[in-house]
Amino acid sequence: MESEQGWRTKGGRTYHSDPSCEWLHKDQGRLRLIGKATHEVVEVRWADVSPGQLQPCDHCCAPAWLERHGREHRADEKPCLVMSDDEWWRGTLVWEPARRADGLWWATVTYDKKGQRVTEVRSQHDIRAR
């Protein structure tokens, strides 16, 4: 599988599908206004990110953004990467409507792994936007 990447600021807790994400830059501007340090936007390889380490941006990782920018998606599915056997696999997901009792978001994911179609329920820790 080819190397997949996204963007974040050094030390940031959110990953972005777009290095020009409006929310990313608005947040940096807000931090500068209140006198806090900002960090450069850097590319991050998904293989280098531990599950649960980063959260998806609610703006540039959302279906509406993907549609506006010509990225593939269906109405009820979002493109994603799924961690399985220490590798990231391309797939799609459908989030459950609310967090579970454990406080995590869960989704039904469908992905192709070594030529086989796999459908499973996975937590946010094993899923990344793409």
Side-chain angles (χ1 to χ4, degrees):
M1 178 176 170
E2 67 185 74
S3 173
E4 295 288 340
Q5 82 277 334
W7 289 266
R8 68 181 284 190
T9 58
K10 287 186 178 182
R13 294 175 289 167
T14 304
Y15 63 87
H16 300 268
S17 295
D18 182 356
S20 305
C21 175
E22 180 181 344
W23 285 16
L24 169 64
H25 294 285
K26 279 183 179 182
D27 191 47
Q28 286 193 319
R30 183 186 59 78
L31 289 171
R32 282 191 290 277
L33 275 174
I34 61 173
K36 299 227 176 186
T38 60
H39 302 281
E40 67 178 310
V41 177
V42 296
E43 188 174 321
V44 59
R45 288 178 352 108
W46 300 135
D48 297 335
V49 178
S50 300
Q53 180 181 354
L54 300 175
Q55 298 300 312
C57 170
D58 289 334
H59 180 65
C60 69
C61 296
W65 184 92
L66 295 168
E67 185 175 351
R68 276 195 315 275
H69 291 85
R71 304 274 177 94
E72 180 183 326
H73 90 283
R74 293 188 296 231
D76 62 342
E77 292 182 321
K78 293 173 68 173
C80 70
L81 297 173
V82 180
M83 175 58 80
S84 180
D85 296 332
D86 296 322
E87 288 188 57
W88 291 105
W89 302 92
R90 290 178 188 246
T92 58
L93 64 77
V94 176
W95 290 109
E96 292 180 356
R99 292 179 190 262
R100 289 189 179 181
D102 61 8
L104 299 177
W105 287 99
W106 289 78
T108 299
V109 296
T110 302
Y111 59 101
D112 292 317
K113 178 180 173 183
K114 298 180 181 176
Q116 291 195 321
R117 191 84 160 159
V118 179
T119 300
E120 301 173 325
V121 176
R122 295 293 195 93
S123 82
Q124 66 193 49
H125 295 301
D126 296 327
I127 303 169
R128 298 287 177 265
R130 69 169 174 100

